[in-house]
């Protein structure tokens, strides 16, 4: 089955700096890659997603890049703010009606 | 507030027991997903229902079962509970069948098995 590895497990950055979280996946059939943000004690929320026919997608300060050949994708957060502090999960699935596999999460701390 | 409701918020029970978790999707959403989040296993997809029918299955144990009713609410039944079943169980809903549609998560049910 699919295996998703996520790094780093924890990340501390100064407010205003950029943060990058990386994930690799094993199943070349995976074609949908969502990212979720989970604040402490709260529910996961989708922040951005990308399909395999696209190499990059951007939404304001958040961007995701996908390298299908290397089977890895990354989340980039620019101009980080304290409210970006949370656990971020990457995920991979065959899209459509396939099951989704999550990475182990990255705890991001933005230091004011 | 995502519009997805889950009851109960907390559940404490003993090993060997059976519990039922309930989820009401957002108005208009036909798909319901169940997830388990634990410290050692992370976030795991369990199962998806669409308009009453099972659509995708993840790492759901045989001791667990789910269903979606005609009014679209869903229940996750956990039986012969073990200590390792202690976790946060999330339900999510989306408007259509495909995983490409955004999922909205409920607040979760925290299950503690003693």
């Amino acid at each position: 089955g699919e295996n998703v590895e996520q790094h780093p497990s924890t990340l501390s950055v100064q407010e205003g700096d950029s943060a990058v979280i990386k994930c690799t996946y094993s199943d070349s059939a995976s074609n949908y890659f969502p990212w979720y943000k989970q604040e402490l004690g709260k529910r996961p929320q989708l922040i951005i997603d990308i399909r395999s026919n696209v190499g990059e997608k951007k939404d304001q300060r958040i961007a995701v890049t996908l390298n299908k050949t290397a089977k890895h994708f990354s989340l980039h957060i620019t101009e980080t703010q304290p409210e970006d502090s949370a656990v971020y999960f990457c995920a991979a699935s065959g899209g459509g009606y396939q099951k989704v596999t999550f990475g182990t999460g990255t705890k991001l701390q933005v230091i004011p | 507030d995502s519009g997805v409701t889950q009851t109960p918020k907390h559940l404490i029970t003993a090993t060997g027991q059976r519990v039922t978790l309930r989820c009401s999707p957002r108005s208009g959403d036909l798909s319901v997903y169940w997830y388990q989040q634990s410290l050692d296993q992370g976030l795991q997809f369990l199962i998806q229902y669409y308009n009453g029918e099972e659509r995708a299955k993840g790492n759901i144990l045989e001791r667990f079962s789910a269903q979606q009713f005609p009014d679209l609410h869903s229940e996750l039944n956990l039986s012969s509970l073990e200590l390792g079943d202690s976790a946060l169980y999330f339900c999510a809903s989306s408007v259509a069948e495909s995983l490409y549609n955004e999922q909205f998560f409920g607040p979760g049910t925290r299950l503690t098995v003693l």
Side-chain angles (χ1 to χ4, degrees):
Chain A
E2 174 67 280
N3 181 48
V4 177
E5 293 191 1
Q6 183 171 348
H7 300 281
S9 56
T10 59
L11 180 60
S12 289
V13 300
Q14 290 292 135
E15 182 177 357
D17 287 350
S18 295
V20 180
I21 302 170
K22 299 182 179 181
C23 289
T24 60
Y25 61 99
S26 61
D27 189 349
S28 56
S30 289
N31 61 9
Y32 177 61
F33 308 92
W35 284 88
Y36 289 88
K37 175 184 179 182
Q38 186 175 24
E39 295 176 13
L40 188 61
K42 301 215 173 152
R43 67 199 80 188
Q45 286 186 292
L46 179 72
I47 55 171
I48 196 166
D49 57 8
I50 191 167
R51 298 193 193 187
S52 61
N53 58 347
V54 174
E56 183 174 358
K57 185 175 177 181
K58 194 171 180 181
D59 183 4
Q60 298 182 350
R61 297 186 296 108
I62 294 173
V64 56
T65 58
L66 171 65
N67 183 326
K68 281 188 341 184
T69 305
K71 288 192 275 191
H72 66 70
F73 56 113
S74 300
L75 178 72
H76 304 253
I77 305 174
T78 58
E79 301 171 20
T80 53
Q81 300 167 5
E83 50 265 40
D84 294 329
S85 295
V87 177
Y88 291 81
F89 292 95
C90 64
S93 80
Y97 319 117
Q98 306 293 318
K99 72 173 202 174
V100 58
T101 303
F102 290 87
T104 48
T106 296
K107 184 175 181 180
L108 173 64
Q109 181 185 20
V110 179
I111 303 165
Chain B
D1 186 359
S2 66
V4 179
T5 60
Q6 289 186 247
T7 56
K9 266 190 175 179
H10 303 276
L11 199 46
I12 301 174
T13 188
T15 54
Q17 294 299 304
R18 173 190 168 96
V19 297
T20 298
L21 313 183
R22 183 189 168 102
C23 168
S24 292
R26 292 187 322 157
S27 176
D29 284 359
L30 299 178
S31 267
V32 169
Y33 309 79
W34 285 98
Y35 296 90
Q36 179 194 59
Q37 186 171 36
S38 61
L39 283 174
D40 56 341
Q41 300 274 8
L43 194 56
Q44 289 200 85
F45 167 70
L46 297 179
I47 198 163
Q48 177 202 2
Y49 277 83
Y50 173 76
N51 205 19
E53 294 192 10
E54 183 183 307
R55 274 292 178 263
K57 214 167 187 176
N59 302 323
I60 188 165
L61 300 171
E62 283 192 14
R63 301 183 285 108
F64 296 1
S65 65
Q67 55 184 326
Q68 186 180 27
F69 294 86
D71 67 352
L72 301 177
H73 90 272
S74 177
E75 292 181 357
L76 179 66
N77 300 296
L78 316 176
S79 62
S80 303
L81 285 168
E82 302 175 0
L83 295 177
D85 297 327
S86 295
L88 192 51
Y89 290 84
F90 285 107
C91 161
S93 74
S94 67
V95 62
E97 191 173 359
S98 166
L99 280 178
Y100 294 132
N101 296 282
E102 181 175 359
Q103 296 180 34
F104 295 87
F105 281 72
T109 292
R110 183 167 294 281
L111 173 67
T112 303
V113 182
L114 301 174

